[in-house]
Amino acid sequence: MSAGTSAAPRHADAVVVGAGFAGLYMLHRLRRLGMSAQVFEAGSEIGGTWFWNRYPGARCDIESLEYSYSFDDELQQSWHWSERYASQPEILRYIHHVAERFDLRRDIRLNTRVASAVFDDATGRWTVRTDAGEVMTARFCIMATGCLSAAKVPAFPGLERFGGATYHTGLWPEGGVDFTGQRVGVIGTGSSGIQVIPMVAKQAARLFVFQRTPHFSLPARNRPLGPDEERETKARYAGMRKVARESASGVAGYPVPTHSAFAVDASERKAAYERHWNDGRTAIGRVYTDLLTDGAANETAADFVRDKIRAMVRDPDVAESLLPRHYIGTKRVCLDSGYFDTYNRPNVTLVDLRRQPLVGFTSRGLRTEAATYELDAVVFATGFDAMTGSLLAIDIRTDAGASLREHWAAGPRTQLGLMSAGFPNLFFITGPGSPSVLSNVIVCIEQHVDWIADCLTELKRRHHTRIEATRAAEDDWVEHVNEVANRTLFPIANSWYMGANVPGKPRVFMPYVGGVGAYRNICDAVAVDGYRGFESCGD
Ligand code: N01
């Protein structure tokens, strides 16, 4: 049946929404369970985040040898990474390689956005409708929609009047963009802005960076990956992956803190931060045990990085504007290649929106309370409706009248980030309430996919067809997620982790901050206890 027809629905054991890292591995596992599956992907190609975020400078902030699948040893031994931190094109090539290697494409429908998913209690099946009108039913519906895939352009006054070109980093045109000779504005200085700004600066005639909140960023110290380093890492891959799975962040190479920042004197602290700075990783918040729980401890690291920024930016006034004020690590720490040095270029101007708030667009550019800026193009590096945006964009409901949008109206509610009470056989991969975005997400994806696959195997063993989170377990988990977050400095920051970047979004800390290894143990214990907090039955 072709998309766009109103022919009879097709049927599969499972529908998977999204063909990024999560959807591809889920499909592979479903096949190995002998289940039929259909993956729907809105993009014109597979890759998820790494398909959409193809802006110049896009690069992973976790080392390539760790930011990759671990489920197949031959795959991890045979794939060659060329750089310490892989660029977006290289990661996309890897994803394509995986799809070919495991023959995944034949069950993936591209250019197809899922519009709704409705659970029918009588049949125990989900009916999934695409925006082209195709209908498919499946026993299980698995959301592999990604945590950062609903790109967000704020409602800037006058945007519709602007005659120049506009781009969002998370929806970058496939053919690329040539800014040569242009006057370009970039709005946003989070991870995406910090990566794209140095690249645009090299090409454009003039670049104006419109910054509302400065972010902490550390030098990536990216470099080609030497053959010895690659060989040596691959020789100990099994052990390294195990350490990553049991670690707090899903990264084997991150430091494991052993004592408070105040257990050592200021010069020793500075030396430790200096080593970290020179090392080129983002995990500065993991140097001491209390950096993310104690404001005074945190300030020792934050001040260290602020001093580095002052030293890198020649104009002291510009440097002052670039100094972040939040606790370091409570918003994602960025990893950059020449970001702060970009402000020393004669063709780059920082527009500090805290000093001159943005009024809006004119037909020819942007206006602040202090000046107007004529621009040929504007890049929105303004982020995403994170964690819930792509899920709630789909109308997910049951025929008994439950709606996920209503259920999550005051913030996402899940049991372990995997399921939501009232929505049988609906799974989330790296859903809210799981470590996901606070970690090496591929480690979390593999853990969730494996957990779901084991759960489906257990259902089959029980001759059951339905599983659902209980309301009591969901309530307990939501309370636990909040309680653990409230022991840290995270909820203080106006971050997208808190939903603070989307007007009207409930202010709730969405990921689970208890650590990847600890979380895995909880999920495993739940399964060993006969899927405690879930109820299963036959039709
Ligand atoms: O988005 P962000 P992102 N007027 O939300 C500004 C991952 N990622 O796409 O902070 C003016 O962090 C906003 O300002 P403020 C990573 O997890 C990873 O950069 O709201 N400015 C902020 O500066 C990351 O955390 C990689 O005051 C406005 C920026 O836009 C996540 O994706 C690379 C505004 C948005 O920053 C999201 O990063 C890229 C307005 N109305 C992304 N609205 C790597 O692996 C928003 N802003 C390296």
Side-chain angles (χ1 to χ4, degrees), residues 116-150:
S116 69
V118 180
F119 184 73
D120 177 39
D121 194 54
T123 61
R125 296 182 73 85
W126 285 90
T127 299
V128 174
R129 284 191 166 72
T130 73
D131 58 0
E134 185 181 356
V135 182
M136 177 132 209
T137 82
R139 177 72 68 187
F140 300 99
C141 185
I142 303 172
M143 295 296 173
T145 38
C147 296
L148 293 156
S149 40

PDB file of all heavy atoms in Angstrom, residues 116-150:
ATOM      1  N   SER A 116      -0.946  10.590  14.787  1.00  0.00           N
ATOM      2  CA  SER A 116      -1.686  10.168  15.979  1.00  0.00           C
ATOM      3  C   SER A 116      -1.464   8.686  16.246  1.00  0.00           C
ATOM      4  O   SER A 116      -1.118   7.913  15.340  1.00  0.00           O
ATOM      5  CB  SER A 116      -3.186  10.453  15.811  1.00  0.00           C
ATOM      6  OG  SER A 116      -3.724   9.603  14.827  1.00  0.00           O
ATOM      7  N   ALA A 117      -1.678   8.318  17.498  1.00  0.00           N
ATOM      8  CA  ALA A 117      -1.627   6.910  17.903  1.00  0.00           C
ATOM      9  C   ALA A 117      -2.732   6.723  18.936  1.00  0.00           C
ATOM     10  O   ALA A 117      -2.759   7.426  19.952  1.00  0.00           O
ATOM     11  CB  ALA A 117      -0.267   6.570  18.487  1.00  0.00           C
ATOM     12  N   VAL A 118      -3.656   5.822  18.635  1.00  0.00           N
ATOM     13  CA  VAL A 118      -4.826   5.632  19.522  1.00  0.00           C
ATOM     14  C   VAL A 118      -4.905   4.165  19.916  1.00  0.00           C
ATOM     15  O   VAL A 118      -4.870   3.272  19.055  1.00  0.00           O
ATOM     16  CB  VAL A 118      -6.126   6.062  18.794  1.00  0.00           C
ATOM     17  CG1 VAL A 118      -7.342   5.865  19.711  1.00  0.00           C
ATOM     18  CG2 VAL A 118      -6.035   7.519  18.341  1.00  0.00           C
ATOM     19  N   PHE A 119      -5.032   3.915  21.214  1.00  0.00           N
ATOM     20  CA  PHE A 119      -5.113   2.541  21.707  1.00  0.00           C
ATOM     21  C   PHE A 119      -6.573   2.102  21.772  1.00  0.00           C
ATOM     22  O   PHE A 119      -7.421   2.816  22.331  1.00  0.00           O
ATOM     23  CB  PHE A 119      -4.483   2.435  23.099  1.00  0.00           C
ATOM     24  CG  PHE A 119      -4.450   1.020  23.620  1.00  0.00           C
ATOM     25  CD1 PHE A 119      -3.555   0.097  23.097  1.00  0.00           C
ATOM     26  CD2 PHE A 119      -5.327   0.613  24.622  1.00  0.00           C
ATOM     27  CE1 PHE A 119      -3.525  -1.215  23.570  1.00  0.00           C
ATOM     28  CE2 PHE A 119      -5.305  -0.693  25.099  1.00  0.00           C
ATOM     29  CZ  PHE A 119      -4.402  -1.611  24.565  1.00  0.00           C
ATOM     30  N   ASP A 120      -6.837   0.944  21.201  1.00  0.00           N
ATOM     31  CA  ASP A 120      -8.196   0.407  21.192  1.00  0.00           C
ATOM     32  C   ASP A 120      -8.267  -0.714  22.234  1.00  0.00           C
ATOM     33  O   ASP A 120      -7.590  -1.744  22.096  1.00  0.00           O
ATOM     34  CB  ASP A 120      -8.502  -0.110  19.786  1.00  0.00           C
ATOM     35  CG  ASP A 120      -9.880  -0.759  19.730  1.00  0.00           C
ATOM     36  OD1 ASP A 120     -10.806  -0.229  20.367  1.00  0.00           O
ATOM     37  OD2 ASP A 120     -10.006  -1.808  19.069  1.00  0.00           O
ATOM     38  N   ASP A 121      -9.063  -0.484  23.259  1.00  0.00           N
ATOM     39  CA  ASP A 121      -9.089  -1.415  24.383  1.00  0.00           C
ATOM     40  C   ASP A 121      -9.626  -2.788  23.968  1.00  0.00           C
ATOM     41  O   ASP A 121      -9.150  -3.820  24.453  1.00  0.00           O
ATOM     42  CB  ASP A 121      -9.952  -0.808  25.502  1.00  0.00           C
ATOM     43  CG  ASP A 121      -9.734  -1.545  26.804  1.00  0.00           C
ATOM     44  OD1 ASP A 121      -8.566  -1.653  27.218  1.00  0.00           O
ATOM     45  OD2 ASP A 121     -10.724  -2.030  27.373  1.00  0.00           O
ATOM     46  N   ALA A 122     -10.594  -2.814  23.063  1.00  0.00           N
ATOM     47  CA  ALA A 122     -11.223  -4.084  22.687  1.00  0.00           C
ATOM     48  C   ALA A 122     -10.228  -5.003  21.964  1.00  0.00           C
ATOM     49  O   ALA A 122     -10.166  -6.201  22.246  1.00  0.00           O
ATOM     50  CB  ALA A 122     -12.441  -3.819  21.806  1.00  0.00           C
ATOM     51  N   THR A 123      -9.441  -4.422  21.050  1.00  0.00           N
ATOM     52  CA  THR A 123      -8.498  -5.259  20.293  1.00  0.00           C
ATOM     53  C   THR A 123      -7.124  -5.308  20.949  1.00  0.00           C
ATOM     54  O   THR A 123      -6.300  -6.156  20.598  1.00  0.00           O
ATOM     55  CB  THR A 123      -8.320  -4.715  18.858  1.00  0.00           C
ATOM     56  OG1 THR A 123      -7.786  -3.382  18.961  1.00  0.00           O
ATOM     57  CG2 THR A 123      -9.627  -4.686  18.101  1.00  0.00           C
ATOM     58  N   GLY A 124      -6.867  -4.375  21.867  1.00  0.00           N
ATOM     59  CA  GLY A 124      -5.551  -4.311  22.500  1.00  0.00           C
ATOM     60  C   GLY A 124      -4.474  -3.873  21.525  1.00  0.00           C
ATOM     61  O   GLY A 124      -3.306  -4.234  21.669  1.00  0.00           O
ATOM     62  N   ARG A 125      -4.866  -3.073  20.526  1.00  0.00           N
ATOM     63  CA  ARG A 125      -3.882  -2.651  19.520  1.00  0.00           C
ATOM     64  C   ARG A 125      -3.859  -1.128  19.384  1.00  0.00           C
ATOM     65  O   ARG A 125      -4.863  -0.453  19.625  1.00  0.00           O
ATOM     66  CB  ARG A 125      -4.215  -3.281  18.148  1.00  0.00           C
ATOM     67  CG  ARG A 125      -4.113  -4.790  18.134  1.00  0.00           C
ATOM     68  CD  ARG A 125      -4.406  -5.358  16.757  1.00  0.00           C
ATOM     69  NE  ARG A 125      -3.331  -5.122  15.805  1.00  0.00           N
ATOM     70  CZ  ARG A 125      -2.265  -5.911  15.685  1.00  0.00           C
ATOM     71  NH1 ARG A 125      -2.122  -6.973  16.448  1.00  0.00           N
ATOM     72  NH2 ARG A 125      -1.336  -5.645  14.793  1.00  0.00           N
ATOM     73  N   TRP A 126      -2.705  -0.628  18.978  1.00  0.00           N
ATOM     74  CA  TRP A 126      -2.572   0.791  18.657  1.00  0.00           C
ATOM     75  C   TRP A 126      -2.883   1.009  17.183  1.00  0.00           C
ATOM     76  O   TRP A 126      -2.441   0.233  16.332  1.00  0.00           O
ATOM     77  CB  TRP A 126      -1.144   1.263  18.942  1.00  0.00           C
ATOM     78  CG  TRP A 126      -0.882   1.427  20.414  1.00  0.00           C
ATOM     79  CD1 TRP A 126      -0.412   0.491  21.270  1.00  0.00           C
ATOM     80  CD2 TRP A 126      -1.111   2.612  21.185  1.00  0.00           C
ATOM     81  NE1 TRP A 126      -0.326   1.018  22.547  1.00  0.00           N
ATOM     82  CE2 TRP A 126      -0.743   2.312  22.514  1.00  0.00           C
ATOM     83  CE3 TRP A 126      -1.586   3.896  20.888  1.00  0.00           C
ATOM     84  CZ2 TRP A 126      -0.846   3.252  23.542  1.00  0.00           C
ATOM     85  CZ3 TRP A 126      -1.677   4.826  21.909  1.00  0.00           C
ATOM     86  CH2 TRP A 126      -1.312   4.502  23.227  1.00  0.00           C
ATOM     87  N   THR A 127      -3.635   2.066  16.905  1.00  0.00           N
ATOM     88  CA  THR A 127      -3.844   2.473  15.521  1.00  0.00           C
ATOM     89  C   THR A 127      -3.024   3.735  15.288  1.00  0.00           C
ATOM     90  O   THR A 127      -3.240   4.759  15.948  1.00  0.00           O
ATOM     91  CB  THR A 127      -5.331   2.756  15.235  1.00  0.00           C
ATOM     92  OG1 THR A 127      -6.054   1.553  15.471  1.00  0.00           O
ATOM     93  CG2 THR A 127      -5.552   3.218  13.803  1.00  0.00           C
ATOM     94  N   VAL A 128      -2.076   3.627  14.375  1.00  0.00           N
ATOM     95  CA  VAL A 128      -1.150   4.734  14.125  1.00  0.00           C
ATOM     96  C   VAL A 128      -1.501   5.354  12.776  1.00  0.00           C
ATOM     97  O   VAL A 128      -1.603   4.632  11.771  1.00  0.00           O
ATOM     98  CB  VAL A 128       0.305   4.208  14.139  1.00  0.00           C
ATOM     99  CG1 VAL A 128       1.287   5.294  13.743  1.00  0.00           C
ATOM    100  CG2 VAL A 128       0.641   3.634  15.520  1.00  0.00           C
ATOM    101  N   ARG A 129      -1.693   6.678  12.786  1.00  0.00           N
ATOM    102  CA  ARG A 129      -2.033   7.379  11.531  1.00  0.00           C
ATOM    103  C   ARG A 129      -0.900   8.317  11.157  1.00  0.00           C
ATOM    104  O   ARG A 129      -0.373   9.025  12.025  1.00  0.00           O
ATOM    105  CB  ARG A 129      -3.298   8.213  11.700  1.00  0.00           C
ATOM    106  CG  ARG A 129      -4.555   7.402  11.693  1.00  0.00           C
ATOM    107  CD  ARG A 129      -5.825   8.257  11.586  1.00  0.00           C
ATOM    108  NE  ARG A 129      -6.953   7.402  11.245  1.00  0.00           N
ATOM    109  CZ  ARG A 129      -7.520   6.534  12.092  1.00  0.00           C
ATOM    110  NH1 ARG A 129      -7.055   6.407  13.331  1.00  0.00           N
ATOM    111  NH2 ARG A 129      -8.538   5.780  11.704  1.00  0.00           N
ATOM    112  N   THR A 130      -0.531   8.318   9.892  1.00  0.00           N
ATOM    113  CA  THR A 130       0.522   9.232   9.445  1.00  0.00           C
ATOM    114  C   THR A 130      -0.121  10.482   8.851  1.00  0.00           C
ATOM    115  O   THR A 130      -1.330  10.496   8.542  1.00  0.00           O
ATOM    116  CB  THR A 130       1.409   8.568   8.376  1.00  0.00           C
ATOM    117  OG1 THR A 130       0.654   8.492   7.167  1.00  0.00           O
ATOM    118  CG2 THR A 130       1.852   7.184   8.808  1.00  0.00           C
ATOM    119  N   ASP A 131       0.690  11.516   8.673  1.00  0.00           N
ATOM    120  CA  ASP A 131       0.111  12.749   8.124  1.00  0.00           C
ATOM    121  C   ASP A 131      -0.260  12.595   6.660  1.00  0.00           C
ATOM    122  O   ASP A 131      -0.937  13.447   6.092  1.00  0.00           O
ATOM    123  CB  ASP A 131       1.039  13.956   8.357  1.00  0.00           C
ATOM    124  CG  ASP A 131       2.404  13.770   7.747  1.00  0.00           C
ATOM    125  OD1 ASP A 131       2.654  12.712   7.131  1.00  0.00           O
ATOM    126  OD2 ASP A 131       3.235  14.684   7.887  1.00  0.00           O
ATOM    127  N   ALA A 132       0.176  11.489   6.039  1.00  0.00           N
ATOM    128  CA  ALA A 132      -0.246  11.222   4.658  1.00  0.00           C
ATOM    129  C   ALA A 132      -1.532  10.390   4.635  1.00  0.00           C
ATOM    130  O   ALA A 132      -2.001  10.004   3.563  1.00  0.00           O
ATOM    131  CB  ALA A 132       0.856  10.490   3.914  1.00  0.00           C
ATOM    132  N   GLY A 133      -2.075  10.081   5.807  1.00  0.00           N
ATOM    133  CA  GLY A 133      -3.346   9.360   5.853  1.00  0.00           C
ATOM    134  C   GLY A 133      -3.206   7.856   5.935  1.00  0.00           C
ATOM    135  O   GLY A 133      -4.205   7.127   5.956  1.00  0.00           O
ATOM    136  N   GLU A 134      -1.972   7.367   5.981  1.00  0.00           N
ATOM    137  CA  GLU A 134      -1.798   5.914   6.093  1.00  0.00           C
ATOM    138  C   GLU A 134      -2.164   5.463   7.501  1.00  0.00           C
ATOM    139  O   GLU A 134      -1.911   6.163   8.485  1.00  0.00           O
ATOM    140  CB  GLU A 134      -0.340   5.552   5.801  1.00  0.00           C
ATOM    141  CG  GLU A 134      -0.137   4.050   5.773  1.00  0.00           C
ATOM    142  CD  GLU A 134       1.309   3.655   5.499  1.00  0.00           C
ATOM    143  OE1 GLU A 134       2.129   4.559   5.261  1.00  0.00           O
ATOM    144  OE2 GLU A 134       1.589   2.454   5.529  1.00  0.00           O
ATOM    145  N   VAL A 135      -2.758   4.265   7.588  1.00  0.00           N
ATOM    146  CA  VAL A 135      -3.174   3.736   8.884  1.00  0.00           C
ATOM    147  C   VAL A 135      -2.518   2.383   9.091  1.00  0.00           C
ATOM    148  O   VAL A 135      -2.489   1.541   8.189  1.00  0.00           O
ATOM    149  CB  VAL A 135      -4.715   3.579   8.945  1.00  0.00           C
ATOM    150  CG1 VAL A 135      -5.145   3.070  10.329  1.00  0.00           C
ATOM    151  CG2 VAL A 135      -5.406   4.904   8.642  1.00  0.00           C
ATOM    152  N   MET A 136      -2.005   2.191  10.283  1.00  0.00           N
ATOM    153  CA  MET A 136      -1.339   0.925  10.594  1.00  0.00           C
ATOM    154  C   MET A 136      -1.736   0.532  12.012  1.00  0.00           C
ATOM    155  O   MET A 136      -1.831   1.390  12.886  1.00  0.00           O
ATOM    156  CB  MET A 136       0.159   1.174  10.525  1.00  0.00           C
ATOM    157  CG  MET A 136       1.004   0.016  10.878  1.00  0.00           C
ATOM    158  SD  MET A 136       2.265  -0.173   9.626  1.00  0.00           S
ATOM    159  CE  MET A 136       2.528  -1.907   9.717  1.00  0.00           C
ATOM    160  N   THR A 137      -1.977  -0.736  12.261  1.00  0.00           N
ATOM    161  CA  THR A 137      -2.234  -1.143  13.639  1.00  0.00           C
ATOM    162  C   THR A 137      -1.081  -2.014  14.124  1.00  0.00           C
ATOM    163  O   THR A 137      -0.447  -2.720  13.328  1.00  0.00           O
ATOM    164  CB  THR A 137      -3.561  -1.916  13.810  1.00  0.00           C
ATOM    165  OG1 THR A 137      -3.349  -3.280  13.464  1.00  0.00           O
ATOM    166  CG2 THR A 137      -4.687  -1.318  13.000  1.00  0.00           C
ATOM    167  N   ALA A 138      -0.845  -1.937  15.427  1.00  0.00           N
ATOM    168  CA  ALA A 138       0.256  -2.714  16.003  1.00  0.00           C
ATOM    169  C   ALA A 138      -0.056  -2.994  17.462  1.00  0.00           C
ATOM    170  O   ALA A 138      -0.700  -2.191  18.138  1.00  0.00           O
ATOM    171  CB  ALA A 138       1.564  -1.948  15.892  1.00  0.00           C
ATOM    172  N   ARG A 139       0.416  -4.119  17.917  1.00  0.00           N
ATOM    173  CA  ARG A 139       0.231  -4.472  19.326  1.00  0.00           C
ATOM    174  C   ARG A 139       1.024  -3.499  20.216  1.00  0.00           C
ATOM    175  O   ARG A 139       0.548  -3.053  21.243  1.00  0.00           O
ATOM    176  CB  ARG A 139       0.734  -5.915  19.510  1.00  0.00           C
ATOM    177  CG  ARG A 139       0.698  -6.454  20.881  1.00  0.00           C
ATOM    178  CD  ARG A 139      -0.671  -6.774  21.400  1.00  0.00           C
ATOM    179  NE  ARG A 139      -1.354  -7.880  20.750  1.00  0.00           N
ATOM    180  CZ  ARG A 139      -2.632  -8.192  21.020  1.00  0.00           C
ATOM    181  NH1 ARG A 139      -3.326  -7.462  21.881  1.00  0.00           N
ATOM    182  NH2 ARG A 139      -3.215  -9.190  20.405  1.00  0.00           N
ATOM    183  N   PHE A 140       2.244  -3.168  19.768  1.00  0.00           N
ATOM    184  CA  PHE A 140       3.119  -2.305  20.565  1.00  0.00           C
ATOM    185  C   PHE A 140       3.489  -1.055  19.767  1.00  0.00           C
ATOM    186  O   PHE A 140       3.709  -1.129  18.558  1.00  0.00           O
ATOM    187  CB  PHE A 140       4.401  -3.054  20.967  1.00  0.00           C
ATOM    188  CG  PHE A 140       4.107  -4.284  21.777  1.00  0.00           C
ATOM    189  CD1 PHE A 140       4.097  -5.546  21.174  1.00  0.00           C
ATOM    190  CD2 PHE A 140       3.785  -4.185  23.123  1.00  0.00           C
ATOM    191  CE1 PHE A 140       3.788  -6.672  21.905  1.00  0.00           C
ATOM    192  CE2 PHE A 140       3.478  -5.318  23.865  1.00  0.00           C
ATOM    193  CZ  PHE A 140       3.467  -6.573  23.260  1.00  0.00           C
ATOM    194  N   CYS A 141       3.553   0.056  20.493  1.00  0.00           N
ATOM    195  CA  CYS A 141       3.939   1.316  19.858  1.00  0.00           C
ATOM    196  C   CYS A 141       5.154   1.842  20.632  1.00  0.00           C
ATOM    197  O   CYS A 141       5.077   2.050  21.844  1.00  0.00           O
ATOM    198  CB  CYS A 141       2.767   2.291  19.930  1.00  0.00           C
ATOM    199  SG  CYS A 141       3.067   3.813  19.053  1.00  0.00           S
ATOM    200  N   ILE A 142       6.254   2.022  19.920  1.00  0.00           N
ATOM    201  CA  ILE A 142       7.505   2.358  20.608  1.00  0.00           C
ATOM    202  C   ILE A 142       8.010   3.704  20.080  1.00  0.00           C
ATOM    203  O   ILE A 142       8.277   3.854  18.880  1.00  0.00           O
ATOM    204  CB  ILE A 142       8.555   1.250  20.395  1.00  0.00           C
ATOM    205  CG1 ILE A 142       7.977  -0.092  20.885  1.00  0.00           C
ATOM    206  CG2 ILE A 142       9.842   1.587  21.147  1.00  0.00           C
ATOM    207  CD1 ILE A 142       8.825  -1.308  20.570  1.00  0.00           C
ATOM    208  N   MET A 143       8.112   4.657  20.990  1.00  0.00           N
ATOM    209  CA  MET A 143       8.483   6.014  20.598  1.00  0.00           C
ATOM    210  C   MET A 143      10.003   6.188  20.681  1.00  0.00           C
ATOM    211  O   MET A 143      10.573   6.214  21.770  1.00  0.00           O
ATOM    212  CB  MET A 143       7.804   7.030  21.523  1.00  0.00           C
ATOM    213  CG  MET A 143       6.300   7.031  21.383  1.00  0.00           C
ATOM    214  SD  MET A 143       5.848   7.553  19.699  1.00  0.00           S
ATOM    215  CE  MET A 143       4.084   7.273  19.739  1.00  0.00           C
ATOM    216  N   ALA A 144      10.612   6.297  19.511  1.00  0.00           N
ATOM    217  CA  ALA A 144      12.052   6.538  19.428  1.00  0.00           C
ATOM    218  C   ALA A 144      12.241   7.922  18.815  1.00  0.00           C
ATOM    219  O   ALA A 144      13.001   8.118  17.870  1.00  0.00           O
ATOM    220  CB  ALA A 144      12.704   5.452  18.577  1.00  0.00           C
ATOM    221  N   THR A 145      11.491   8.875  19.375  1.00  0.00           N
ATOM    222  CA  THR A 145      11.352  10.192  18.740  1.00  0.00           C
ATOM    223  C   THR A 145      12.477  11.162  19.099  1.00  0.00           C
ATOM    224  O   THR A 145      12.528  12.258  18.551  1.00  0.00           O
ATOM    225  CB  THR A 145       9.989  10.801  19.131  1.00  0.00           C
ATOM    226  OG1 THR A 145       9.721  10.480  20.503  1.00  0.00           O
ATOM    227  CG2 THR A 145       8.878  10.244  18.296  1.00  0.00           C
ATOM    228  N   GLY A 146      13.349  10.770  20.036  1.00  0.00           N
ATOM    229  CA  GLY A 146      14.479  11.646  20.368  1.00  0.00           C
ATOM    230  C   GLY A 146      14.091  12.715  21.368  1.00  0.00           C
ATOM    231  O   GLY A 146      12.936  13.152  21.429  1.00  0.00           O
ATOM    232  N   CYS A 147      15.079  13.123  22.153  1.00  0.00           N
ATOM    233  CA  CYS A 147      14.815  14.120  23.212  1.00  0.00           C
ATOM    234  C   CYS A 147      14.941  15.542  22.702  1.00  0.00           C
ATOM    235  O   CYS A 147      14.419  16.476  23.300  1.00  0.00           O
ATOM    236  CB  CYS A 147      15.807  13.917  24.357  1.00  0.00           C
ATOM    237  SG  CYS A 147      15.618  12.334  25.172  1.00  0.00           S
ATOM    238  N   LEU A 148      15.670  15.716  21.600  1.00  0.00           N
ATOM    239  CA  LEU A 148      15.944  17.074  21.103  1.00  0.00           C
ATOM    240  C   LEU A 148      15.634  17.110  19.621  1.00  0.00           C
ATOM    241  O   LEU A 148      16.516  17.302  18.776  1.00  0.00           O
ATOM    242  CB  LEU A 148      17.420  17.424  21.366  1.00  0.00           C
ATOM    243  CG  LEU A 148      17.770  17.553  22.850  1.00  0.00           C
ATOM    244  CD1 LEU A 148      19.242  17.311  23.107  1.00  0.00           C
ATOM    245  CD2 LEU A 148      17.362  18.918  23.376  1.00  0.00           C
ATOM    246  N   SER A 149      14.354  16.859  19.288  1.00  0.00           N
ATOM    247  CA  SER A 149      14.017  16.803  17.870  1.00  0.00           C
ATOM    248  C   SER A 149      12.870  17.725  17.483  1.00  0.00           C
ATOM    249  O   SER A 149      12.533  17.801  16.311  1.00  0.00           O
ATOM    250  CB  SER A 149      13.711  15.364  17.455  1.00  0.00           C
ATOM    251  OG  SER A 149      12.969  14.717  18.433  1.00  0.00           O
ATOM    252  N   ALA A 150      12.286  18.426  18.467  1.00  0.00           N
ATOM    253  CA  ALA A 150      11.242  19.399  18.112  1.00  0.00           C
ATOM    254  C   ALA A 150      11.889  20.784  18.122  1.00  0.00           C
ATOM    255  O   ALA A 150      11.968  21.462  19.157  1.00  0.00           O
ATOM    256  CB  ALA A 150      10.086  19.320  19.108  1.00  0.00           C
TER     257      ALA A 150
END
